[in-house]
Amino acid sequence: MLGPLTFERPMLLLLAVLALPLGAIVWYAFASMSRLRRSTAIALRTVLLTLLALTLAGAASVRQTSSLATIVILDRSGSLSRYADLGRNELGETVSLDGAAAEFLARAQESRRADDMLGVIAVGASPRVAAAPSRLDVASRVLPEVEGSATDLAGAIRLAAGLIPPDAAGRIVVVSDGLATTGDPRRAVEALVAGDRGEPITVDVVPIDFAVEREVIVERVDAPPRAASGSVVPVRVQLRAAAPATGTLRLLREGREVDANGPLPGRGRRITLEAGTRVELIEVDLGNERLHRFEAVFEPDLDDAGEAVADRSLENNRATAFTLTPAAGSVLVLDGVSAAEPTGAGMTLPNALRDVGLEVEVAVPAAMPRSLVAMQSHDLVILQNVPADALDETQQALLEDYARDLGGGVLFTGGPQAFGAGGWKGSAIEDIFPLRLDLPDRLVIPEAAIVIVLDRSGSMADSVLGSARSQQEIAGEAAARAVESLEATDLVGVISFSSTPTTEVKLGPNSNPERTASRIRGITSNGGTALAPAMRSAQSQLKDAEAKTKHVIILTDGRSQNAEILPMIAEAMRDDGIRVSTIGVGDASDNDTLERVAQRGGGTFYSVVNPNVLPRVFLRAVRVVRSPLVREQPFQPRVLPTASPLTAGVESTPGLDGLTLTRFRDDPGIITAMAHPEGEPLLAHWTVGLGQVAAFTSDAHEWAELWLDWPGYRGFWAQVARSLSRPDERPIGELTASLDGSGARASIRLAAEDEAGTPLDLLSVPATVYAPDGTTRDVRLLQTGPGLYSADLGVDLPGTHVIVAKPALAGDALPPVITAVNVPAGAEYRRLRSDRAALESLAAATGGDVYELSDLLGENAPDLFARTGIRPREARTPLWPLLLGWSVVVFLLDVGTRRIAWDRLIDPEWRREIAASTARADSISATRIRSKRDQPVSDRAPVAAATAALSDKDARRVASEQASKRYEAQRERLAAIRAKRDEVEKGDSADSAADEPSSGLLAAKRRARERFEELE
């Protein structure tokens, strides 16, 4: 039954007023209809318009409900499980947190009514639903495991609010120690008070108190963010002890221990701590390095049993800091030629740069730094013949951030495994690359036909390393990226398999890689594992394909049915010119069989334990299939007159023996300094953010063999390196960042001044914060004093948060300033007391209650489903589905009213005419029958046939139709008579007004009128 109505947009009800003018229009537009039909049409139009107005106005039925949904948030973080003492039970056993939670939930259910609901959320580093709001028994539910290294109470409160049904009043009960390390619970509660539910949600709290009596914490390490090269800087280590303790303090720099003035050099400093805070000062000689990362570690003394005497948690015994020196940074060369071998061919370019006085560091691509702080040590990064799969996603994204935000230089040199040949097409780095990696069809002959065979069995739905991503999602992403790296002329097919194979993408040109990638990403997991039918399907597609190279790449995480025949199928495929490579994912894959399949199929076997590296492995598997996109033919480079600083003073160079194929990028900011005689680019560069990015499509050793004896070889590369390197500019000030006492928020402060020491005002200071997990966010520093700019931000993720400020004065960019704040690991264990006051403030903000756990577990436990302070909830049921359905019905009736002359069925005159016509038809039929009887037999046959064909029912139907036609004809005749009479009357009026009337004419008209009246 519908209750009172309410409207979301009541002003739209005014649309119903349109029914008045619409009714008038219908009355005059349908004048030919009878009065009944016109009235009905107007009524239906009015009802239809009213229904539509109610629908658009958001009509809803309101009813009150007394149902109450109570959501219990159980804190299962590490601090509570490790430090809280819940007492002992009747048997003298220590009460566990899970045991107390189960008893608490059981007691809570005893007082709830039949229409009340109870839900449970377990919270640690993230909240997880243990039981959605239900009227069933939830006390016996097994609580889910949560990561205990943090406490996200704010996220748990938001999740609980979202679980409360809209037709029930809500109450949230928080059982916690109040130590939130992620988010702001108070803000989450304030959002509930100002929410759009109509009634605020009550938050009750159950504080669990504890106070740690023995613990040592390394609270922070303070080092100057910037210092002169070779100087001695003080490093301050702040420790806090809950009770007297002894141990060893060690200071590490880049993983190596610094002499901390101990009894033995390099063995740490022995310290004795009293209860409270203590600061240890250690002086460190920085040397000539650019970046100095420090880590302080406290090692407590152990007793005879091997346990720490005065320390319960080791997670909070370390903290980090760093110092930068403004000396010129080095050139980092990532060697994809000879893997940084000291005597390898890849050392040719680094040695030439060293000869001209540049500091050069050579490393394998995988050793590239993974943070902007570490990248700060280098002014230029050179990638020599580096394929895309040699760097992971974090490192690729870091190159862009390094150039765009830090102003560093990046130089790509070519080779058989570089650029498009190295799978860089479709990667994150393609956005900053100064050349296009996709080639026109005239340059590329179809080389490869590849069929990707993906396992989609049920086990592929398993999550990866505890994350929210499944193996299927990561495998799909890896295959999708591999497809996006291929050329449009390559042939690509995709087959997924579980118990049976499915052709997701039929083998054909890779003309639409985005659509293929989308199809791959949409594959879902279900069923068993049967690889053999999928391999045969791939073989049938590739057998007759026109391609130089045919390859099948198989990915699976399990053991296939009929595994013994798989190597034989692979060998048959190899006989057809098809190579087979396999990728085994996880510990459960049948690696022995997959390796034999790859061997018999002439391919390569890849074993992947961590599915997160699948994208790189898949890209490598695809890259080795294609022929390199290179042209190995001698040519004479052309130096173009573009005034590029990279080729200043260079008029000509010796010949080169090859280059990696690319094409020009259509951007006015790109400078092409050198080119191939046939039009392919050789050297191009452009500005990306604050830095420079360049690409040299040949190499510096093998294809450049003639260059090695060229006197200008070292000078050319030195000029390129110096032009691309980050300029050695003095920053406008010092940027610092520090944590507050909670360890969850940081303050950023920039003191800006010019060379004379005068504060710089009115600066625009945007900044980017790079979190340890690779995510970024933008903040803006606001001026708080002469030359002072500051901002606050939350930093609840452990690790190094890098802040890059990019000040500008009147629109002109100034040198960026970098700093970092280190959020120590073990933040969950850094506070030695529970925070009852924080929990009580949550209850006070919503008018909730504060309970004690002992009371809730006692005999007279308070009622968590009591209605005190909770008003009945108004439940709104939207009526638009009902109104829309009736609108359709009324619309059909309106159309039928206008299209069908239903009013004739109830017109008495029309019904009398039908009856008379039916009687005449019966009379005629009887007359015909009598005539037929009087006819000779020979003449009766046609009449008998006609009579048989026309039954009495048919005769009545025909008579009715004829009567209807006569009725309409009579109506038309009557209308014509009336029109003629009106015309005659008008003529009479005109003749009466004439001065000379004609008696004969008047008499004739009179006789005509009398006749019309007679006819009428």
Side-chain angles (χ1 to χ4, degrees), residues 134 174 221 511 651 845 849 888 907:
S134 171
V174 180
V221 178
S511 56
E651 297 181 357
D849 295 322
V888 174
D907 188 335

Side-chain angles (χ1 to χ4, degrees), residues 551-779:
H551 209 109
V552 173
I553 301 174
I554 300 171
L555 183 146
T556 180
D557 73 334
R559 297 179 177 273
S560 171
Q561 303 172 11
N562 303 319
E564 65 279 358
I565 66 173
L566 299 181
M568 292 183 289
I569 297 176
E571 186 172 4
M573 296 173 71
R574 184 176 185 179
D575 293 339
D576 289 336
I578 303 170
R579 295 170 58 191
V580 182
S581 292
T582 56
I583 302 175
V585 183
D587 297 330
S589 64
D590 188 359
N591 289 344
D592 293 338
T593 300
L594 293 178
E595 187 172 7
R596 289 198 303 272
V597 168
Q599 290 175 350
R600 301 277 288 273
T604 306
F605 167 67
Y606 303 89
S607 178
V608 179
V609 177
N610 179 5
N612 283 322
V613 304
L614 259 180
R616 296 171 60 191
V617 173
F618 221 115
L619 191 60
R620 184 179 305 129
V622 169
R623 177 172 55 82
V624 300
V625 174
R626 284 200 99 264
S627 299
L629 301 180
V630 299
R631 177 181 292 163
E632 295 187 281
Q633 295 177 352
F635 68 95
Q636 179 61 45
R638 294 176 54 192
V639 180
L640 303 179
T642 54
S644 169
L646 276 63
T647 56
V650 179
E651 297 181 357
S652 63
T653 68
L656 294 169
D657 292 334
L659 81 166
T660 307
L661 297 178
T662 58
R663 60 172 167 162
F664 296 104
R665 186 168 183 164
D666 186 15
D667 191 293
I670 296 176
I671 299 175
T672 304
M674 302 177 70
H676 189 282
E678 295 185 6
E680 283 81 34
L682 178 60
L683 175 61
H685 61 97
W686 67 337
T687 300
V688 176
L690 300 175
Q692 296 277 330
V693 179
F696 184 74
T697 60
S698 189
D699 65 14
H701 56 285
E702 183 178 357
W703 290 337
E705 184 178 0
L706 297 178
W707 284 37
L708 301 181
D709 297 328
W710 176 39
Y713 179 79
R714 293 178 178 82
F716 172 80
W717 286 113
Q719 184 167 288
V720 170
R722 291 193 172 103
S723 298
L724 297 176
S725 293
R726 176 175 43 191
D728 186 13
E729 295 180 304
R730 174 187 175 275
I732 64 169
E734 183 172 320
L735 183 68
T736 58
S738 59
L739 288 174
D740 64 3
S742 68
R745 298 196 65 80
S747 298
I748 309 172
R749 183 176 181 273
L750 173 65
E753 58 184 24
D754 59 17
E755 295 181 357
T758 304
L760 290 174
D761 296 329
L762 302 179
L763 294 179
S764 173
V765 190
T768 302
V769 181
Y770 297 87
D773 60 356
T775 59
T776 63
R777 54 179 164 156
D778 295 326
V779 297

Side-chain angles (χ1 to χ4, degrees), residues 218 238 357-358 368 461 465 520 540 652 675 756 852 967 984 986 996:
V218 179
Q238 180 173 313
L358 295 178
M368 175 186 159
L465 301 179
I520 293 174
S540 64
S652 63
E852 299 298 330
Y967 177 76
V984 171
K986 290 180 181 179
E996 296 179 356

